[in-house]
Amino acid sequence: MSSLKVPVATLGVPRIGRHRELKIALESYWSGKSSESEILETARKLRAASWIEQRDRGVTKIPSNDFSLYDHVLDTAVMVGAIPPSYGWNGGDVPLDTYFAMARGDQNADCGCGNPGHAHGVSALEMTKWFDTNYHYMVPELAEDQSFQLASTKPLDHFLEARALGIHTRPVILGPVTFLKLAKARTGAFGLMSLLPKILPVYVKLLKQLSEAGADWVQIDEPCLVLDLEATERTALELAYSRFETSVPGLKIMLATYFGALGENLEAALALPVAGLHIDLVRAPEQLGRVARFASSDLVLSLGLVDGRNVWRTDLNAVLEQVKPVVAGWPSDRIEIASSCSLLHVPVDVELETGLDPELKSWLAFSAQKMDELAALSRALTEGRDSVSDAIKAASYAAASRRSSLRVHDPLVGGRLANIEDAMLRRTGPFAARRKLQARQLDLPAFPTTTIGSFPQTADVRKARSRHVKGEMSYVDYEAFLKSQTAEAIRWQEEIGLDVLVHGEFERNDMVQYFGEQLSGFAFTQHAWVQSYGSRYVRPPIIYGDVSRPNPMTVRWWRYAQSLTGRPVKGMLTGPVTILNWSFVRDDLPRSTVCRQIALAIRDEVADLEKAGAKMIQIDEAALREGLPLRKSDWSTYLAWAVECFRLCSSGVADATQIHTHMCYSEFNDIIDAIAAMDADVISIETSRSKMELLDAFRSFKYPNEIGPGVYDIHSPRVPDVAEMTDLLSLARQRIDDDQLWVNPDCGLKTRKWEEVRPALVNMVAAARELRKVAKAA
Ligand code: GLN
Ligand code: ZN
């Protein structure tokens, strides 16, 4: 029977440990409190634990080399020896500190060791989103004359390490085509695929080593197959995989695709000479039929049936029904059951959540539970559904209770959603008319100065919050503390002469969590961490039910701040699209519907702020761009509902009330019409690092509303001087009209220190005053 058992695969599992052991070990190493051997030992233990756990839970295709100390793309760059010269590597094993310098920059200035091979003062590689996840990878930098060499034995080492524990693994490697596609050109612009012939020998060498060490299968990830590919990239795939087939004939390749449908790349994928193909049937269930129809029956099909991107329990029966027609027609020894993608993107174990109520908990499955689900599905296919009837029943029961629970379905929310009218999506007057009313009501100088919302979250602020959460500081004392922080911030903003003030966000833990905690339909966890990048983990809120806003969320703090000053204080909210994109979202409704629900809740808050007297309300949409689908052809649908949700939350106010939005990025070229369609009266964006070049999109589009291009890079501790900011502002004036221009930093100041913020904002106000003089004289 065991030889017939349908194999179970995870494609990768969380690396962080049940109790964030990896983060703790990394930070201790970085701060010099522990040695290299200690961190390597922690890592080894984490790997062993996750292999053993997978085996014990019934995973049979256990991955190795999915573990990384920091990031698997960085590991791949190191593996092929793609280490930019600035890191001072001269061949041989890559030292751990070189690896961390690539990940985080050299945090210590010159250590005085005098060794030119020791990277001093270098910056980190760039970091960007891994496909459409909230995981970020380090972007490999390649030169046109790049040479490659096998510079790391990690895949082999980990394979052998598992074998020493008696566990036979299937090593995971990021495929060469996806690797090149994710990299960036360090020198000039050249086609990255032109490097393929040079990188392939390194892969071949590695695959041979693995094969000789006893690996029968490897998993090679080519998630680029779910993207829009160019002809050169498809050719590259052909070249790479035929090369592997001829050079390492004994080794079977499971080609893994995930995060979407193969779409028009299906034919290309099926033509590759590989032994197996993994497809994501959670994101793209419809592709199963097509793949089964066109694939050769020699191919091992790995069915990605359990959601690796979300936290919901799988309805096992529904999944078995879904695959029944295909499984019935496919040779039974050519099927594998797998998670849709690596389980890296979900938290470790629901059982750690002792604070969640049992009903909600019964709806969830994290990495550990997903392994159990995979094993149950395999058993059902091997031995029949009766063999796992308890698991199937429990899963069906959980699914049914979610479908009917009153905690999930709020008829009032449904009713409001059904009654959204066109008029609710539009401000009463056009921008030109609103602007006049707003100017009259606000009476601001030219080039008004403001900030993005938060002021430094100092150690004192964080300590007070955590003491309050732990019950060590009373509500009354905590309130008094927050009030004094807010009052001091208002007083200081007045003193240095800012025109539009903020209350400082001292009461907020996080721009999404703060709202989620006050909205119905959101749950928060204690231990459900997922890796965002390196040692930074986040605990995204879980949106499990219809969203509504029982009570005002920010009015009290706004009102307090405004009571202290005659200048306008901006109401400060997080927008619906950002709240959605930074949460685990329920999977029983379209994301657009959940987003509309959040938009209605924010709309209520906007109305209450206005009623309380707010004349300006900022609604941050930091993550709007992040939600863009992987395929260009899906962009317009997403942007249409995202923009609609912003309009829904922001259009309920009088024309004289000024709506601001903020986005902390700067690539607007390809979405500028959607940005304009949001119709915020003022938008603040990040532009200082690009020297205002990124304003070009606004110029060529003739963006009609007002804009605050950031003149102070808040990502760096550096304090810009007045001249630097006036220079940036004159560059901005070449691109947008004077009466459109605001003066503000790139983003909120919560991560900065007051010692940096104080002089920087004093300089910023001086730069605006300077500009007023210059503009008047002209
Ligand atoms: N208002 C928020 C702040 O100032 C905005 C943060 C963000 O855009 N990421 O912190
Ligand atoms: Zn920002």
Side-chain angles (χ1 to χ4, degrees):
M1 184 205 75
S2 67
S3 65
L4 276 177
K5 192 165 162 16
V6 175
V8 174
T10 54
L11 310 201
V13 293
R15 313 152 174 163
I16 62 181
R18 289 177 77 77
H19 305 287
R20 292 184 290 160
E21 290 88 341
L22 185 57
K23 179 191 181 73
I24 295 164
L26 284 168
E27 288 175 354
S28 149
Y29 175 72
W30 291 332
S31 66
K33 289 196 199 100
S34 61
S35 66
E36 174 164 339
S37 60
E38 283 169 284
I39 191 170
L40 297 181
E41 179 59 13
T42 303
R44 198 189 53 73
K45 282 193 188 137
L46 288 171
R47 287 192 292 272
S50 81
W51 286 324
I52 290 167
E53 176 180 17
Q54 290 181 79
R55 182 194 62 196
D56 292 350
R57 289 185 187 269
V59 177
T60 57
K61 296 282 180 182
I62 298 175
S64 58
N65 196 44
D66 57 322
F67 179 86
S68 173
L69 283 173
Y70 201 92
D71 163 43
H72 57 274
V73 182
L74 178 61
D75 291 359
T76 313
V78 165
M79 179 184 92
V80 299
I83 299 160
S86 54
Y87 298 99
W89 175 68
N90 1 328
D93 282 348
V94 180
L96 193 59
D97 287 340
T98 306
Y99 175 84
F100 286 137
M102 292 169 80
R104 331 166 50 226
D106 192 1
Q107 306 285 309
N108 316 307
D110 195 328
C111 65
C113 73
N115 176 2
H118 181 173
H120 290 120
V122 291
S123 46
L125 293 177
E126 236 174 65
M127 183 166 72
T128 195
K129 267 168 82 79
W130 170 246
F131 293 79
D132 59 354
T133 70
N134 288 328
Y135 175 89
H136 299 75
Y137 71 90
M138 307 310 301
V139 182
E141 277 180 21
L142 306 176
E144 191 161 12
D145 62 352
Q146 182 75 45
S147 60
F148 298 102
Q149 67 183 87
L150 189 56
S152 147
T153 49
K154 175 181 168 245
L156 182 66
D157 298 344
H158 290 190
F159 176 77
L160 297 174
E161 192 178 296
R163 194 168 64 189
L165 296 168
I167 296 175
H168 180 75
T169 57
R170 184 169 74 180
V172 183
I173 302 160
L174 180 59
V177 179
T178 300
F179 174 76
L180 291 176
K181 192 170 167 64
L182 297 181
K184 75 170 205 183
R186 185 168 70 243
T187 43
F190 64 92
L192 285 154
M193 288 303 144
S194 67
L195 297 176
L196 188 77
K198 287 207 269 183
I199 206 174
L200 285 183
V202 177
Y203 271 84
V204 166
K205 188 168 174 191
L206 169 74
L207 294 176
K208 279 193 175 147
Q209 284 183 355
L210 288 169
S211 174
E212 279 157 20
D216 49 351
W217 280 90
V218 289
Q219 171 190 322
I220 304 191
D221 288 0
E222 291 285 11
C224 72
L225 274 160
V226 310
L227 303 177
D228 300 319
L229 288 184
E230 287 171 19
T232 50
E233 292 161 341
R234 290 205 199 132
T235 315
L237 284 161
E238 252 172 67
L239 190 74
Y241 290 85
S242 12
R243 178 72 177 277
F244 297 161
E245 190 201 21
T246 46
S247 308
V248 204
L251 186 65
K252 295 193 190 125
I253 293 174
M254 172 57 71
L255 184 72
T257 71
Y258 39 80
F259 301 150
L262 287 164
E264 75 293 341
N265 300 325
L266 175 66
E267 222 178 309
L270 290 178
L272 298 174
V274 290
L277 177 68
H278 171 84
I279 52 175
D280 184 336
L281 295 174
V282 174
R283 278 288 176 84
E286 70 289 346
Q287 65 178 343
L288 179 57
R290 281 185 66 210
V291 171
R293 184 140 26 99
F294 296 113
S296 125
S297 60
D298 298 343
L299 191 72
V300 175
L301 275 186
S302 165
L303 308 176
L305 292 167
V306 165
D307 197 345
R309 291 287 298 276
N310 214 332
V311 292
W312 305 105
R313 185 168 181 169
T314 308
D315 184 346
L316 299 174
N317 205 46
V319 163
L320 289 166
E321 286 301 309
Q322 175 195 348
V323 296
K324 201 161 131 189
V326 169
V327 170
W330 207 259
S332 59
D333 57 343
R334 306 269 153 78
I335 296 274
E336 282 182 26
I337 295 295
S339 44
S340 61
C341 59
S342 163
L343 296 174
L344 176 68
H345 308 289
V346 292
V348 175
D349 189 348
V350 171
E351 290 313 323
L352 294 171
E353 296 305 322
T354 46
L356 281 183
D357 67 272
E359 186 184 38
L360 186 52
K361 218 164 130 177
S362 78
W363 297 341
L364 300 173
F366 296 171
S367 175
Q369 288 68 38
K370 285 171 193 282
M371 293 175 199
D372 295 345
E373 294 179 341
L374 292 168
L377 288 170
S378 155
R379 237 181 116 186
L381 292 177
T382 312
E383 301 167 35
R385 291 191 204 188
D386 287 348
S387 66
V388 279
S389 58
D390 286 354
I392 294 180
K393 256 189 240 150
S396 304
Y397 182 82
S401 91
R402 253 182 94 194
R403 271 195 298 275
S404 60
S405 167
L406 287 177
R407 297 168 67 183
V408 172
H409 307 282
D410 177 348
L412 289 177
V413 175
R416 283 190 74 188
L417 224 59
N419 289 320
I420 296 175
E421 290 163 13
D422 257 11
M424 292 165 71
L425 305 173
R426 258 182 287 117
R427 300 288 294 273
T428 314
F431 174 69
R434 302 198 306 262
R435 168 184 237 182
K436 281 191 198 124
L437 295 170
Q438 291 164 19
R440 200 176 309 146
Q441 154 153 298
L442 293 166
D443 193 26
L444 295 171
F447 311 112
T449 53
T450 189
T451 61
I452 306 304
S454 57
F455 279 125
Q457 289 263 330
T458 57
D460 281 351
V461 172
R462 279 178 285 136
K463 195 159 131 223
R465 179 179 310 126
S466 95
R467 289 187 56 215
H468 174 59
V469 169
K470 287 192 202 133
E472 294 164 16
M473 188 177 195
S474 73
Y475 177 80
V476 174
D477 289 347
Y478 183 56
E479 282 282 302
F481 170 79
L482 292 175
K483 276 192 166 174
S484 70
Q485 293 285 316
T486 309
E488 173 53 22
I490 293 286
R491 192 200 60 72
W492 180 76
Q493 291 174 83
E494 277 194 333
E495 179 189 307
I496 68 159
L498 282 157
D499 302 305
V500 172
L501 312 192
V502 296
H503 75 285
E505 303 184 21
F506 301 105
E507 77 288 8
R508 301 189 186 177
N509 38 17
D510 168 271
M511 65 186 287
V512 169
Q513 188 178 351
Y514 182 74
F515 291 92
E517 281 173 350
Q518 302 185 71
L519 292 166
S520 307
F522 281 73
F524 290 84
T525 56
Q526 287 169 295
H527 305 283
W529 299 99
V530 289
Q531 196 178 5
S532 168
Y533 64 86
S535 63
R536 185 169 154 80
Y537 312 156
V538 293
R539 266 179 314 186
I542 297 173
I543 307 179
Y544 65 87
D546 287 341
V547 177
S548 61
R549 187 205 64 147
N551 295 298
M553 302 181 283
T554 63
V555 175
R556 207 163 55 86
W557 284 109
W558 175 82
R559 190 180 271 135
Y560 173 67
Q562 185 67 81
S563 75
L564 303 171
T565 176
R567 298 193 193 170
V569 178
K570 285 190 274 190
M572 193 58 63
L573 305 173
T574 301
V577 186
T578 298
I579 293 179
L580 183 90
N581 283 340
W582 285 346
S583 299
F584 283 119
V585 180
R586 59 194 283 195
D587 59 354
D588 57 342
L589 282 181
R591 288 172 73 85
S592 54
T593 305
V594 179
C595 200
R596 279 187 193 98
Q597 295 181 352
I598 306 170
L600 282 172
I602 300 294
R603 183 181 171 98
D604 294 345
E605 186 71 13
V606 168
D608 281 341
L609 280 168
E610 186 184 48
K611 220 182 294 162
K615 296 181 171 54
M616 305 173 136
I617 299 165
Q618 177 175 313
I619 307 169
D620 295 328
E621 282 294 16
L624 187 120
R625 200 189 154 90
E626 285 192 14
L628 281 174
L630 293 173
R631 301 259 189 182
K632 260 263 155 74
S633 56
D634 298 327
W635 280 25
S636 59
T637 310
Y638 165 75
L639 287 170
W641 63 253
V643 169
E644 185 196 305
C645 286
F646 184 83
R647 296 176 66 123
L648 179 58
C649 76
S650 62
S651 296
V653 292
D655 282 349
T657 302
Q658 190 169 64
I659 296 289
H660 291 228
T661 189
H662 163 70
M663 297 183 185
C664 20
Y665 45 84
S666 40
E667 301 153 67
F668 289 102
N669 280 311
D670 44 4
I671 56 168
I672 187 74
D673 37 358
I675 300 300
M678 289 166 66
D679 200 22
D681 298 306
V682 184
I683 181 173
S684 59
I685 59 172
E686 174 184 321
T687 34
S688 68
R689 280 183 291 188
S690 82
K691 304 260 176 286
M692 299 289 150
E693 269 165 32
L694 296 154
L695 271 182
D696 286 343
F698 289 83
R699 172 173 59 184
S700 39
F701 184 83
K702 298 201 170 37
Y703 183 80
N705 301 9
E706 295 174 21
I707 312 177
V711 292
Y712 162 21
D713 174 13
I714 61 90
H715 303 91
S716 149
R718 221 171 57 82
V719 175
D721 60 25
V722 181
E724 189 176 328
M725 289 194 267
T726 45
D727 284 352
L728 284 174
L729 286 166
S730 39
L731 290 173
R733 290 178 71 204
Q734 293 165 13
R735 293 170 166 91
I736 51 178
D737 292 345
D738 282 359
D739 60 357
Q740 279 182 292
L741 191 56
W742 285 63
V743 179
N744 49 255
D746 272 339
C747 191
L749 301 163
K750 59 176 164 251
T751 56
R752 294 266 63 90
K753 300 196 169 81
W754 274 112
E755 298 86 86
E756 300 148 7
V757 165
R758 281 200 196 99
L761 291 184
V762 165
N763 291 349
M764 189 185 86
V765 170
R769 288 186 176 149
E770 188 80 33
L771 192 60
R772 285 172 201 152
K773 270 191 242 152
V774 176
K776 213 170 207 166

